[in-house]
Amino acid sequence: MQLISDPKVKDVFDNYPKLVQEHLLYLRALILKVASEIEELTKLEETLKWGEPSYLTKHGSTVRIDWKEKKPEQFAIYFKCTSKLIPTFKTIYKDIFEYKDNRAIVFKLNSKIPEHELKHCISMALKYHKVKHLPLLGS
């Protein structure tokens, strides 16, 4: 898989508080790992959308990650709110995650991330336009 990264993304990561930066770099690593495991995904673009690190693929839905100063104890992974992604995650994983409406999975800075389940969610997002017609996005 080819990663095309906008150099401005590194600047955004560098400006997060140290603990936040560690968590967001962990989410970034998960996204890159999942993308590399999807056979038909040949290119991933890492860019900024709304000033947030964002990941785009030809057949996927944009995945963003960020931390907000107004809620300093948490960070999140964002999905397109008009997609079926968060409703599907809620059906499959129920209360394993904390959700923000139909747009994000939210994590506390001191909590453990359910990695296996989150990787599955990321995979569904990165393949979204190929699976959106399938029940539970082909899970």
Side-chain angles (χ1 to χ4, degrees):
M1 176 205 62
Q2 177 187 17
L3 175 64
I4 300 167
S5 187
D6 181 334
K8 294 176 186 170
V9 175
K10 183 182 180 322
D11 296 336
V12 170
F13 279 115
D14 288 346
N15 284 309
Y16 287 121
K18 188 70 176 155
L19 180 60
V20 171
Q21 183 184 84
E22 290 172 17
H23 287 290
L24 291 175
L25 287 173
Y26 171 76
L27 288 182
R28 177 187 186 270
L30 278 184
I31 293 166
L32 298 182
K33 179 162 181 44
V34 169
S36 73
E37 294 170 352
I38 299 172
E39 193 173 309
E40 63 271 11
L41 197 157
T42 57
K43 183 170 74 170
L44 181 70
E45 182 181 355
E46 180 179 49
T47 189
L48 296 175
K49 295 237 179 232
W50 300 282
E52 302 167 349
S54 303
Y55 301 85
L56 297 78
T57 68
K58 182 177 181 178
H59 298 291
S61 181
T62 301
V63 176
R64 296 180 292 120
I65 56 178
D66 198 29
W67 168 84
K68 310 281 188 207
E69 233 176 282
K70 63 184 178 182
K71 297 218 176 189
E73 74 289 344
Q74 67 184 38
F75 59 102
I77 183 166
Y78 297 89
F79 302 91
K80 187 173 180 183
C81 62
T82 57
S83 74
K84 299 176 188 174
L85 289 164
I86 295 287
T88 301
F89 304 161
K90 288 177 179 177
T91 299
I92 296 170
Y93 294 116
K94 299 177 181 32
D95 59 355
I96 286 179
F97 296 114
E98 179 182 332
Y99 303 96
K100 171 71 174 132
D101 303 321
N102 277 349
R103 61 181 312 218
I105 297 174
V106 179
F107 303 101
K108 302 282 188 237
L109 285 175
N110 61 356
S111 65
K112 183 174 179 350
I113 293 176
E115 184 176 312
H116 176 77
E117 294 85 351
L118 183 57
K119 285 172 67 178
H120 183 222
C121 295
I122 293 167
S123 176
M124 285 187 273
L126 295 177
K127 300 185 289 188
Y128 184 70
H129 293 294
K130 289 196 172 218
V131 300
K132 67 183 177 184
H133 65 285
L134 300 172
L136 295 179
L137 305 178
S139 291

